[in-house]
Amino acid sequence: MALPPGSRALLSGCCVLLSAALAAGREAGCLDCHTAAADAPVHAVLRTVHGNLGEGRAQTCRACHGDSPAHAREPAGEAPEVSFGPRWRSGIEVRNGSCLACHQANGPLLSWQGSSHQREDLACDSCHTSHSQRDGALDEDTSSHLCGACHQPVRAQLRLPSRHPIAEGKTACSDCHNPHGGSGEADLYQVSVNDNCLSCHQDKRGPFLWEHAPVAEDCALCHRPHGSVHERLLSARGPALCQQCHAAAFHPSLPYGRGGLPGGAPNPNLLGKNCLNCHSQVHGSNHPSGARLTR
Ligand code: HEC
Ligand code: HEC
Ligand code: HEC
Ligand code: HEC
Ligand code: HEC
Ligand code: HEC
Ligand code: HEC
Ligand code: HEC
Ligand code: HEC
Ligand code: HEC
């Protein structure tokens, strides 16, 4: 049988400890074989929040990997009850079941069942590393890279000229999305897109004396949440953005020329080709005469 590198040392090292354990008249515990010397990285778990899950350190191992008496008797041939790999990786239900035994009823995992990631059979250990003192998923600097590795189209959007500063580390995917699922759209922490945006951009919340209907309805009617080729994360540029809905507006949609204006001056509607030149309060206005969102 071909053993992975390192496991021979582990096997021969553990024989000595094993005989010591047997001489002492007890069954070998996990740490008799998985010693710090043979298996240093594995011991890092003892210095994490999971370091003290039961009575004694071997109980800690069993909390996630199961009691595994067969494996402890015959480590070269028998798998532990729960393995996260590499050799005997258990099925997804078994691996996730191990973590959920403690985390099921926990706040952050309440919506795990039925979440996008649960439905796609992602494992807790696709994102979390339990034997590392720095769990990459919990580190704001690395967690977005983790997400981007699978979500290539979103990762591409993070490089567009206008974007949320995720690549810059000022926001993270998990500021907006709950990787364990959410009750609303796109597994957001909030129920609606607007609640999500307004949790940070509170000045857009209103209430406004003069509301702009689409703003109250859905910020994503005009903005792309991850990134856009148009400035301010807008979904379209200049008048085109507004004309998606105001095509029939009485004045501005028409391409005015210089004709008909005193002195033949260029029509101000065309300055920068932007409706915002006049309708600057596009998110709503509190000015007594702001009905047309011009002030
Ligand atoms: C008698 C020695 C011995 C004891 C006791 C022992 N192990 Fe192991 N364990 C090994 C060896 C050797 C390997 C490497 C096997 C291989 O890769 O061929 C191993 C591998 C593992 C793996 C990796 C599985 C995989 O799929 O790669 C896990 C997890 C594990 N042991 C957990 C435990 C737990 C938990 C306990 C206590 C309940 C325990 N072991 C007790 C010797 C032991
Ligand atoms: C919080 C749950 C948890 C606890 C507690 C735990 N493990 Fe693990 N173990 C994992 C996960 C998850 C992996 C997959 C690799 C990773 O996430 O770092 C793993 C991987 C392993 C491996 C394979 C390592 C490799 O990469 O080859 C061994 C061996 C192992 N654990 C042994 C142990 C022993 C011994 C203990 C007790 C000191 C223990 N584990 C405690 C969850 C746990
Ligand atoms: C025996 C119970 C138990 C098991 C099994 C268990 N955990 Fe935990 N876990 C805890 C406790 C207790 C804490 C610390 C208190 C808390 O944050 O709820 C914790 C905390 C965490 C944290 C937060 C860590 C931090 O630094 O804040 C993560 C992430 C986590 N567990 C992931 C996992 C994963 C992944 C697995 C399966 C491989 C797992 N847990 C298995 C009990 C468990
Ligand atoms: C898609 C990646 C991913 C998957 C899959 C995943 N997690 Fe997480 N988990 C994260 C991220 C990212 C965080 C940090 C969340 C944050 O910063 O708000 C986290 C945080 C946690 C925390 C700490 C929450 C807190 O607020 O203290 C626990 C506990 C946890 N995860 C357990 C699990 C368990 C159990 C599973 C499997 C059922 C799992 N996770 C699956 C990415 C993931
Ligand atoms: C191992 C691959 C993998 C990782 C890592 C991963 N995801 Fe996913 N995620 C998927 C798959 C597969 C789907 C379902 C298909 C889809 O919608 O793209 C999904 C779905 C989603 C959805 C729901 C999309 C929708 O249409 O409703 C969101 C939001 C999401 N992931 C965010 C994240 C975040 C945030 C992270 C990092 C914490 C992350 N993902 C890490 C694979 C992954
Ligand atoms: C500022 C908040 C925010 C951040 C940060 C964010 N998202 Fe989103 N994401 C959203 C919103 C809002 C939607 C829903 C879009 C819609 O309805 O048009 C969404 C949709 C998604 C979707 C499903 C639709 C699609 O575009 O594929 C995925 C997958 C996703 N996000 C992944 C990610 C990943 C991965 C990251 C980090 C690289 C991330 N998001 C960062 C707010 C955010
Ligand atoms: C977690 C907090 C957070 C959430 C939630 C959030 N944003 Fe942002 N947003 C930021 C930060 C930080 C910036 C950058 C501000 C800066 O650099 O001054 C920003 C910038 C912007 C900008 C200006 C971009 C530019 O080019 O100047 C727009 C537009 C924007 N966000 C729209 C949205 C929309 C729409 C949503 C909801 C889908 C949303 N934001 C959700 C934090 C957030
Ligand atoms: C009708 C289209 C439209 C809708 C809907 C919309 N916005 Fe905007 N938003 C714009 C335009 C146009 C700009 C650029 C304004 C400028 O450059 O002066 C902008 C700019 C921004 C900015 C950056 C500049 C600033 O004023 O801070 C933020 C942040 C922002 N919007 C957030 C939001 C949020 C949050 C929502 C939902 C509550 C939302 N927007 C809904 C059109 C819209
Ligand atoms: C998603 C559709 C949509 C988009 C995009 C949109 N609007 Fe609107 N707008 C509306 C609706 C709906 C109303 C309310 C109309 C009503 O009450 O008759 C409105 C009202 C207005 C009003 C006030 C009209 C009045 O009668 O008081 C102005 C001014 C306006 N929009 C300007 C803009 C500008 C400028 C843009 C581009 C930045 C824009 N709109 C983009 C849907 C949209
Ligand atoms: C030169 C300034 C200016 C520009 C540029 C401009 N508008 Fe206006 N718009 C106004 C004024 C002033 C009113 C109010 C007219 C009134 O009350 O009679 C108005 C009224 C409106 C109304 C309300 C119409 C109604 O039925 O009451 C809408 C909708 C509107 N504008 C949309 C737009 C859009 C879309 C653009 C860009 C394509 C645009 N405007 C460009 C000055 C401008």
Side-chain angles (χ1 to χ4, degrees):
M1 182 186 54
L3 291 176
S7 56
R8 269 180 209 289
L10 176 51
L11 274 173
S12 63
C14 68
C15 282
V16 179
L17 291 149
L18 190 54
S19 25
L22 291 173
R26 63 181 177 84
E27 211 178 286
C30 316
L31 291 159
D32 288 325
C33 297
H34 294 281
T35 62
D39 230 3
V42 165
H43 280 242
V45 73
L46 298 171
R47 294 189 294 278
T48 69
V49 287
H50 291 121
N52 196 12
L53 289 180
E55 308 258 310
R57 300 194 298 172
Q59 285 308 117
T60 289
C61 314
R62 292 188 175 107
C64 291
H65 292 287
D67 286 343
S68 313
H71 168 71
R73 271 195 308 276
E74 210 188 311
E78 295 284 342
E81 280 160 20
V82 181
S83 166
F84 301 87
R87 183 167 169 208
W88 287 294
R89 190 185 304 273
S90 313
I92 183 84
E93 305 275 324
V94 172
R95 279 184 286 150
N96 283 0
S98 160
C99 310
L100 289 169
C102 292
H103 288 290
Q104 181 86 286
N106 251 1
L109 282 134
L110 277 177
S111 13
W112 171 254
Q113 293 302 332
S115 69
S116 310
H117 287 152
Q118 187 269 332
R119 279 184 278 123
E120 293 289 332
D121 276 350
L122 257 69
C124 314
D125 58 299
S126 314
C127 296
H128 292 286
T129 45
S130 300
H131 281 277
S132 151
Q133 270 185 284
R134 274 167 70 100
D135 181 333
L138 300 181
D139 187 333
E140 289 248 315
D141 292 340
T142 51
S143 75
S144 295
H145 294 285
L146 179 77
C147 315
C150 291
H151 292 287
Q152 296 285 348
V154 178
R155 188 163 80 168
Q157 288 162 13
L158 303 185
R159 299 280 163 210
L160 294 173
S162 173
R163 61 200 179 217
H164 263 119
I166 299 167
E168 289 80 356
K170 288 191 201 156
T171 35
C173 312
S174 55
D175 285 339
C176 295
H177 297 287
N178 185 345
H180 313 119
S183 48
E185 204 181 324
D187 292 339
L188 294 168
Y189 277 105
Q190 296 78 9
V191 176
S192 71
V193 171
N194 275 29
D195 286 341
N196 169 257
C197 309
L198 295 170
S199 71
C200 292
H201 298 288
Q202 298 185 5
D203 59 314
K204 304 288 186 284
R205 184 185 291 277
F208 293 107
L209 183 54
W210 308 103
E211 255 184 14
H212 192 192
V215 177
E217 192 187 326
D218 186 356
C219 312
L221 286 168
C222 296
H223 293 286
R224 295 272 170 269
H226 305 125
S228 167
V229 291
H230 307 296
E231 61 176 7
R232 306 289 191 203
L233 302 170
L234 290 170
S235 54
R237 189 156 43 115
L241 173 72
C242 314
Q243 286 167 333
Q244 288 167 0
C245 299
H246 293 292
F250 77 106
H251 70 94
S253 307
L254 306 172
Y256 283 66
R258 48 178 67 211
L261 282 167
N267 188 303
N269 287 355
L270 284 179
L271 276 182
K273 298 200 174 63
N274 209 330
C275 320
L276 299 172
N277 290 346
C278 302
H279 302 287
S280 57
Q281 304 306 306
V282 67
H283 298 106
S285 168
N286 278 322
H287 194 282
S289 43
R292 307 294 183 224
L293 311 176
T294 51
R295 61 190 89 197

